[in-house]
Amino acid sequence: MAVQISPSILSADFARLAAEAEAVDGADWLHVDVMDNHFVPNLTLGVPIVESLSKATGTPLDCHLMIEDPDRWAPQYVEAGAGSVTFHAEAAAAPVRLAREIRAKGARASMALKPATPIEPYEDLLPELDMLLIMTVEPGFGGQSFLDIMLPKIRRTRELISKHGLELWLQVDGGVAESTIERCAEAGADVFVAGSAVYGKDDPAAAVRALRAKATDATASAAWACGH
Ligand SMILES: O=C(CO)[C@@H](O)[C@H](O)COP(=O)(O)O
Ligand SMILES: [Fe+2]
């Protein structure tokens, strides 16, 4: 699969969300960080804003729910127009039922792991998912430094995806920038969230192109991608 870039609007101007979506024209997704001040110590936005944004942009929304009780809330984000909905493994009471509900409602189902959550207990769940998100910072804030110690988990997850012959996408989120994206791609990621490395730049669309070029080159020479 071709590399995909998902700029995070957490680093955008929330008063100008439609324009900020336009500013990354050419991005594959718009990453929307939903935080409830319980699962993470920060508060952002909810269903009504996702619904308005989905009507205002043609770019599909990749909603990352950093909230408690995603079993209750995630389906509402599908109804609000999200193309992909990610819930946290640490927060979901019934991840298989929730993934099936998200898919049945017509969105891609994705599950996220915080840095201290291992992938191995979830191996048997992977066929239920369209994407697995490995957090490369502790969730809650943009602009943090990339955690290199997550690279082995990305590699192990890529190996599980290959072992089971899955079409699962592997997303990384947190501290992804021109200086770190190649390491993520070499380790096996193929969907890249970037907030400050896109919206912190004068030309966000150019930043997306630069990230895509680096990730594409790194993927082409990565062992895991041979014949991918
Ligand atoms: O989910 C989160 C943070 O919890 C992310 O999506 C951030 O928005 C990424 O921001 P940068 O680290 O790229 O600045
Ligand atoms: Fe995120």
Side-chain angles (χ1 to χ4, degrees), residues 47-102:
V47 171
I49 291 179
V50 168
E51 192 169 1
S52 296
L53 187 58
S54 79
K55 289 177 187 150
T57 177
T59 307
L61 303 185
D62 160 30
C63 286
H64 175 194
L65 306 184
M66 285 162 276
I67 60 173
E68 289 182 354
D69 204 3
D71 304 70
R72 174 183 172 196
W73 291 105
Q76 295 190 34
Y77 287 87
V78 184
E79 286 162 16
S84 175
V85 176
T86 301
F87 58 85
H88 267 265
E90 303 85 357
V96 173
R97 184 171 63 210
L98 181 54
R100 289 184 179 184
E101 192 177 348
I102 291 168

Side-chain angles (χ1 to χ4, degrees), residues 136-137 144-148 150-151 154 172 174-176 180 183-184:
T136 43
V137 297
Q144 301 180 76
S145 296
F146 179 79
L147 292 172
D148 270 300
M150 290 298 104
L151 290 169
I154 299 170
V172 283
V176 176
T180 56
R183 275 175 275 162
C184 296

Side-chain angles (χ1 to χ4, degrees), residues 8-11 31-33 35 40 64 66 88 133 135 137-146 173-177 193-198:
S8 170
I9 59 159
L10 187 61
S11 298
H31 185 84
V32 180
D33 288 308
M35 304 184 187
V40 289
H64 175 194
M66 285 162 276
H88 267 265
L133 164 53
M135 290 304 300
V137 297
E138 290 290 355
F141 302 93
Q144 301 180 76
S145 296
F146 179 79
D173 182 11
V176 176
V193 176
S196 45
V198 170

Side-chain angles (χ1 to χ4, degrees), residues 3 182-183 185-188 213-227:
V3 155
E182 289 162 307
R183 275 175 275 162
E186 281 159 10
K214 287 216 161 190
T216 302
D217 285 353
T219 302
S221 54
W224 69 266
C226 289

Side-chain angles (χ1 to χ4, degrees), residues 88-122:
H88 267 265
E90 303 85 357
V96 173
R97 184 171 63 210
L98 181 54
R100 289 184 179 184
E101 192 177 348
I102 291 168
R103 280 177 159 178
K105 283 184 173 292
R108 296 179 61 86
S110 165
M111 189 173 77
L113 305 178
K114 290 167 74 173
T117 305
I119 180 63
E120 285 74 14
Y122 298 101

